[in-house]
Amino acid sequence: MTADQSTTTTSSDKDAQYPPGAQILVRDEVWLVRTTTRTEHDGARIEAVGASEFVRDREAVFFTELDRVELIDPRETELVRDDSPNFRRSRLFLEAVLRKTALPQSERGLALADQFLMDALPYQQRPAELALSGRNLRPRLLIADVVGLGKTLEIGLTLAELIRRGRGERILVVTPQHVLEQFQHELWTRFAIPLIRLDSVGIERIQREIPAGRNPFTYFKRVIVSVDTLKNTDQYKHHLERINWDAVVIDESHNLINKGSLRNQLAQILAPRTDALILASATPHNGNARSFAELISLLDPAAIRDADNYRADDIKHLFIRRTKVSPEVRDQMKGQWADRGPSQSVRCPATPAEEKIFEELAEVWLPADGRPSVSDVPLFPYTLLKSFLSSHAALKATVAARIKTLEKKNAPQGTAAEMAALYRLQELAAGMTEADSAKFAALVDQLKAIGVGPKSDARVVVFSERVQTLEWLRTVVPAALGFRTGKTAEAAARVMHGGLSDEQQMQCVEDFGLADTPVRMLFTGDVASEGVNLHRQCHQLIHYDVPWSLIRIEQRNGRIDRYGQAHQPQFRALILTSEVEGAKDDTLVAERLLDREDEAHRALGTAEAVSGLYRAEAEEKSLIQDLLRGRTVDESLAAHNASSADDDAGMDDFLADFFGSVGDEAHAESDGSDPAQAGHGGGSVPQARVPRLFTSTREFFDEALREVFPDAQDRLDLSMDQESGLISFRPPADLVHRMKALPLDYVREQRLRERLLVTLNRRLAEHSLQRARESSTSSWPEISLLTELHPVVEWLTDKVLVRLNRQEAPVVTAAVDRATYLVQGIYSNALGRPTVVKWMAVTGDGAVDDDMVAVLHRAGVGPSMANPMQAHDTARLREAVPDVLHAAEAFLEEHREAWDEPLRKPIEEYKLRLGEWKQPTLAEGGASLAEGGASLAGDHAKERLASLADSLLTTGRPMLRVLAVLAPTAS
């Protein structure tokens, strides 16, 4: 608001701005603006905290169409004396305003990268760099790093930077159900970003607490929910369609590709209703050009002009992909991530009972001499074989299920032979026990060699595709290793598979990752092959059976071979062998796939592109079909790779860019200036220029605590250990109220409503996090790190801001030769987001310096300054305020074009691309949509995207605010 604008700003004033830190008058009370977002029907949505006495510290939400909101007129600023020691109140107020003001969109550098519990690795900062680079219209990107590089950390840092820019108040994270707690845990413990977990139980609880019909997703502003819960769009669609987000994260986003699926429908609902969109997947491509184009269209509908023909370079502003062998990753991870060990094949000669089954399979089901199989379902014999290669328990289940299916058909004549063969298999497997299993004996030997046992802390994860195998192993393995029967044996082994609830799956992962739990073995299916961290206490993995997919093998291995692994990952695979002529044992497929995955991983950092199929399910199906044709594993892989290239040469070029060149040394000369290609080289990540009056959060926190709570030892029962850096206090009621945004399990388990343990000592916080992983009672650390985003720091910052009354600015005696007015100037776009933020020092004669902090330092404003308690003529100082504001606005207008240029250029480039973009002929209506209708839909999409681009440009006049006055001595 400028010097010549009206004092009252109402909802009809289109250019009204309510920036964070500004004071507003609503219902005859003064409030401090925390965030402002634009709504479709209710004007601006303003989250505020009470500043005047009656509503002090209360939180409230106002809508400018429903409430009369007055933005305080800067010309009416009252200048007040500051009698605090060292002008502490004034310095804290200025620092609080600096901290609460969102960084402008023109600031591309990272502001918070060094504040969190993560290593300062530039490769993990690249996604945030790309999101903020301005190369995309909005912060929307696909993080496609391969398994284990730390995508959750990359997401957390990106969200933190968006929050610092006022673009991350409302966050929705969507993950598979088994990684909900893991993701929630990482974002809070490392970044102080609290997410409320809305699993099926959580949503039911909230719906009991809120009024009937209330949207559960408005109850908390930052939530994490499983895709399995949300994909029930019939139940949640109407809620999701009525809410907009600042940022949406969708993990394992390759599952969104199948058009028409519930997951795809969910993505189509969320994508247009969020500003920032972060998709994450280690396997984002299924080899189909149109499918991948559809995934990219969620980020930017106009990014790809021709969905059948595009290159990686066309969309490099929308994705980032690296592997462990990418130069930047490799160089930065030296000594921090042990190279994986070899994949060891442990050959297990079949027992006599198993050889009989091999004979039956070779004679009846999979004849090697070209005779037809007994089954008229071509793929079923391989289903039988894979079940048997897993375990006799799995074979029994598969045979029983097939018999049941045939019996339902009333055993037509064509199936009689198959029924007879099934009964023979059933009889052969009926009496088998662990004594008849070569793999079981080998597993026990391998576990003993690893050191797993009652008197050892060694841990191992054992993978199998079959639930029956997992359940059987859990019952027999512990006793074979010497674990006592009963609760001790049960506690030593856990089973995890897709049939468990989300709560059960999360509990399995948590217990396996805690050092002092009794769990020593995790028997798991491939539900744990995507996204789950199993490396905290484990570096040993055994494939009890091997999936017939290179991608699945790599995903499994990635559970322990990942960033943060302190020991060399070790992999073993049990290979069942047979001497029966023509028998298809594990040497036929499993052993060869293990070798090919290991070769590809060491050479390229990933095995995804070897088959040319890019999907685990497709790899397995095509391999079985090729085996039926008589091809070997190597012949199958070569044939499909060549076929893929012949069918779609353009797509092959794209995939070569996307998959093959991630480890290409030819790009190692890159300076890292292109975040999407940063994996090919080095270069530092640009850092933001963030104005600060205080040297650190520690200094600000200490002085703010003394100012706001001079009696903190009594009032808060505060204790501060100077040696360790531990801060302990009893949270007051207004802080307890804010804790509703923290993870509920964390608040309850750590009893945070009674006492908070926080620190500014990074090493102490890291130690607390590590100690939590060694606890069987809770994985949540007792002590949290006070980052700029931490709720305690935000609470204290708000307390500082409301120390001054309505529209007051302090007068500070400083080393200046004339009165100098400190003025904040903010330009915003049509969405209410700051585009330009300037901190000015203005003198009465109109001289403007746009480096307010430098002026403060030159004037000696700091903790060592003295407060002479000098009385200044505030009335005379106040007379100059209108002229000062006029000079500040003139200065801003003079430089506005130059400041706008970094924003305007990418927007103009985007609109140029948009003009060349053609909407696909078949729009949302599908094949039945008339061509004219498709054209209209395309025009509408273009119009909407063009309007969005225009809304990001600076609009209107600047909001001005007088923050303080520096007055010379004896003025």
Side-chain angles (χ1 to χ4, degrees), residues 65-85:
E65 287 293 334
L66 305 178
D67 287 287
R68 182 180 180 85
V69 179
E70 299 179 24
L71 186 64
I72 304 299
D73 185 346
R75 295 173 303 175
E76 303 300 323
T77 302
E78 294 291 332
L79 304 181
V80 298
R81 177 184 178 184
D82 180 0
D83 58 1
S84 63

Side-chain angles (χ1 to χ4, degrees), residues 89-406:
R89 188 175 305 131
S90 298
R91 291 186 295 106
L92 286 168
F93 172 74
L94 290 170
E95 176 72 8
V97 174
L98 289 169
R99 286 172 173 267
K100 294 295 288 187
T101 301
L103 294 180
Q105 293 189 114
S106 55
E107 178 53 77
R108 307 298 192 191
L110 272 59
L112 305 173
D114 61 347
Q115 290 202 15
F116 305 116
L117 290 184
M118 63 182 293
D119 297 326
L121 300 176
Y123 93 80
Q124 291 185 340
Q125 299 171 7
R126 298 292 180 197
E129 178 190 4
L130 179 58
L132 302 174
S133 67
R135 299 175 61 228
N136 185 19
L137 192 63
R138 293 175 288 174
R140 298 163 82 92
L141 75 158
L142 165 64
I143 302 178
D145 286 345
V146 300
V147 173
L149 264 64
K151 287 188 288 295
T152 304
L153 297 178
E154 295 167 356
I155 291 169
L157 182 58
T158 304
L159 290 177
E161 291 291 340
L162 292 176
I163 291 170
R164 184 60 184 86
R165 287 157 174 78
R167 304 180 72 170
E169 283 303 300
R170 294 198 55 78
I171 296 174
L172 173 67
V173 176
V174 183
T175 75
Q177 61 184 14
H178 53 276
V179 297
L180 270 182
E181 186 167 10
Q182 173 182 293
F183 207 109
Q184 178 195 37
H185 188 275
E186 288 286 282
L187 259 65
W188 169 253
T189 58
R190 294 189 181 276
F191 301 97
I193 299 176
L195 300 174
I196 291 296
R197 193 170 76 237
L198 295 185
D199 48 26
S200 53
V201 175
I203 289 182
E204 288 179 7
R205 177 181 52 76
I206 289 174
Q207 287 179 328
R208 289 195 300 267
E209 295 176 0
I210 64 178
R214 175 84 177 269
N215 190 335
F217 300 108
T218 64
Y219 196 68
F220 295 107
K221 65 180 182 179
R222 293 172 185 164
V223 301
I224 182 169
V225 63
S226 81
V227 66
D228 305 281
T229 297
L230 275 194
K231 73 181 182 181
N232 184 356
T233 51
D234 288 341
Q235 182 176 357
Y236 298 114
K237 182 178 179 181
H238 66 289
H239 289 313
L240 295 173
E241 288 179 335
R242 287 164 173 77
I243 190 168
N244 289 314
W245 304 91
D246 291 315
V248 167
V249 176
I250 304 180
D251 194 19
E252 305 297 346
S253 55
H254 55 271
N255 294 315
L256 308 177
I257 286 179
N258 296 327
K259 195 169 183 66
S261 69
L262 292 176
R263 286 181 170 87
N264 182 269
Q265 292 175 33
L266 170 63
Q268 297 293 344
I269 291 173
L270 293 175
R273 291 172 174 81
T274 180
D275 176 42
L277 178 62
I278 304 173
L279 306 179
S281 173
T283 56
H285 208 295
N286 65 358
N288 180 279
R290 283 189 168 270
S291 291
F292 190 70
E294 183 181 350
L295 187 66
I296 292 298
S297 74
L298 294 173
L299 302 170
D300 181 359
I304 296 176
R305 299 175 191 173
D306 182 354
D308 293 312
N309 185 20
Y310 54 94
R311 298 291 301 268
D313 194 58
D314 298 333
I315 56 170
K316 65 182 181 180
H317 59 296
L318 291 169
F319 81 90
I320 188 165
R321 176 176 174 79
R322 289 78 50 87
T323 77
K324 191 177 178 181
V325 301
S326 298
E328 184 177 48
V329 178
R330 181 196 59 214
D331 294 344
Q332 292 171 22
M333 294 308 301
K334 285 180 179 177
Q336 299 188 57
W337 184 357
D339 289 334
R340 59 186 270 180
S343 293
Q344 302 176 35
S345 294
V346 180
R347 291 200 170 190
C348 314
T351 65
E354 289 171 328
E355 289 287 42
K356 289 181 180 179
I357 294 179
F358 270 124
E359 290 175 358
E360 181 72 11
L361 291 174
E363 176 66 25
V364 178
W365 296 91
L366 293 164
D369 56 8
R371 289 180 293 109
S373 170
V374 71
S375 177
D376 59 357
V377 179
L379 300 183
F380 179 68
Y382 277 97
T383 301
L384 271 180
L385 174 64
K386 290 196 68 184
S387 294
F388 171 58
L389 292 176
S390 179
S391 71
H392 60 275
L395 177 64
K396 291 176 185 177
T398 300
V399 169
R402 180 62 177 166
I403 290 174
K404 187 175 182 180
T405 298
L406 294 179

Side-chain angles (χ1 to χ4, degrees), residues 117-118 153 182 185-190 459 509-520 533-538 563-566 750 765-782:
L117 290 184
M118 63 182 293
L153 297 178
Q182 173 182 293
H185 188 275
E186 288 286 282
L187 259 65
W188 169 253
T189 58
R190 294 189 181 276
R459 297 192 182 198
V509 174
E510 180 177 9
D511 289 348
F512 191 68
L514 296 176
D516 66 351
T517 58
V519 183
R520 294 293 175 266
N533 294 334
L534 300 177
H535 67 295
R536 300 298 184 194
Q537 312 297 334
C538 175
Y563 172 71
Q565 175 59 268
Q750 297 300 330
E766 289 177 338
H767 179 69
S768 179
L769 180 58
Q770 180 61 34
R771 193 168 61 244
R773 295 191 182 121
E774 299 171 355
S775 166
S776 60
T777 56
S778 175
S779 62
W780 296 103
E782 291 182 312

Side-chain angles (χ1 to χ4, degrees), residues 726 746 750 757-759 764-765 768-769 771 781-785:
L726 177 63
Y746 169 61
Q750 297 300 330
L757 299 179
V758 295
T759 187
L764 178 60
S768 179
L769 180 58
R771 193 168 61 244
E782 291 182 312
I783 306 168
S784 59
L785 181 66

